[in-house]
Amino acid sequence: MQLWRESLEPCLPFSCYLMSVASVHSDAGKKNKRAPLQERKMVDRFRLCVRGGEGGSGCASFRKSRHFRHGAADGGNGGKGGSVILECSAAIWDFSNLQHHVNGNRGGQGYSKKRVGSGGSDKIVQVPVGTVVHLAKGSIPSVKGSLILPDAAAWQDEETQLKGVEVLTTGCNKQFQECLGSSADAINTENTLGTIVDAVESHLVYDSDGNRPLVDEYDDNNMLNGEDNSGGALKLLVASNVAELVSPGECLVVASGGPGGRGNTAIARGCGREKALPSRECEPGQPGSEAVLILELKTIADVGLVGAPNAGKSTLLGAISRAKPMVGHYAFTTLRPNIGKVVFEDYFALTVADIPGLIQGAHEDRGLGFAFLRHIERTKALAYVLDLASALGDNKGISPWDQFDQLQYELEKYQIGLSNRPSLVVANKIDEDGAEEVLNELRRRLPSMQIYPVCAVLEEGINALKWGLRTLVDDPTLHATTLSQLRM
Ligand SMILES: Nc1nc2c(ncn2[C@@H]2O[C@H](COP(=O)(O)OP(=O)(O)OP(=O)(O)O)[C@@H](O)[C@H]2O)c(=O)[nH]1
């Protein structure tokens, strides 16, 4: 290899030489290779520190002419610093490609002949659809693009800041709006670090269900689980759900650039004595705003698969879509949510989310699944995956109807009303001996539920299930159930 390279190097163009060197290096250092997509961990929580670019300094310059023998001020203002903008993109899957610190670019300085400095370029951070923004530190961000504020540059004037507060409050629930409304003065006059946290802290705010405080205590250690290792073991006070990015193209200005400093022309004009007394002073640019955000991904799938560990959810996802989640004969093979797309012949498509299995007491932090329920919070429908074989023969599991009860209980504990979402039951492992009888019993006990017997491994009953899911998503009212309806 060495000989070949040496003999080729002199006659290869430089770019080819670089490519050959790169390939040699990549072969040697296999550790640096990126893991294939299905093996990579999904990063669904991320701490992001953002800072707007500093404004450029103003310029002090004088133009001498026949009429202004002492020179007239002609220094231009500095340019505005660049902002940091979150952009919602359908091409991004999670936060694994983000950097923890993002700063807007500095504005250019002003020039003579009253020329204004160039504006610093904005930094666009692309985030996945379904990103929820929590504010750990900093001022409330403004909204841009497809939402209400037309122009990010308008951030600077006070009036727009006020609008920004109104816009954002519409995205929050009622109590949070009231809280912000009453604290709006504080937010606008003192647009500094910690303002929003102080504002929210002074009101004990709870969400519309009354059971989850909107100001959460985030333990940084929780965020260090493999994805975020930039901080210490601090307890952060977080203003929850400050904004949500739910459709591609939506933008949110999270840190605005500082205004540029005034040049001596503007300062002299300010005095109203430009000709008489040209100013020799100019101003430095202002720093941009800063914020520490916690980004949380709440996946927006059409259908959520819920089930006990080992019920066969991942196998099922692989059978109905082209997703390739990890499957194992042990509980908790699934450690992170998987998303699959079910495509029909007429190109109708629906997305299905598979989350780690839920066990009894999940709401008391047992198992893994409870932490991931936020990924099915926004699904239109649920599919309960029940294991028909879990209590058969020597298996020491629980019966499918008890699995169903447990799942509903845990869902209700997570969010009141979640278990009433349009749903169907997938009775998996119908291939096992004795599963038919269990299925009949299940049908008897859950008469109002649509039950689809399938064998996920052999892909039997999959087509009927796919159409069942489609009907559910197309017209959810068909199969909406309540807990009272379910019980015999
Ligand atoms: N006999 C039979 N076994 C199945 C079927 N579907 C899945 N399994 C097996 O059940 C075991 C668990 O399957 P998974 O798809 O990993 O189950 P899961 O619900 O995703 O499990 P967690 O990751 O723990 O949540 C694997 O050994 C599968 O081969 C089925 O239809 N019939």
Side-chain angles (χ1 to χ4, degrees), residues 308-315 326-334 356-357 428-429 431-432 454-457:
N310 247 355
K313 298 178 295 301
S314 308
T315 315
M326 238 169 86
V327 173
H329 61 276
Y330 50 90
F332 297 116
T333 321
T334 311
N428 193 24
K429 307 195 185 178
D431 56 309
E432 296 270 349
V454 299
C455 170
V457 173

Side-chain angles (χ1 to χ4, degrees), residues 48 99 139 243 253 263 296-297 301 318 327 395 458 474:
L48 182 69
Q99 292 178 336
S139 51
V253 180
E296 193 173 55
L297 179 58
V327 173
N395 296 344
L458 303 175
D474 259 359

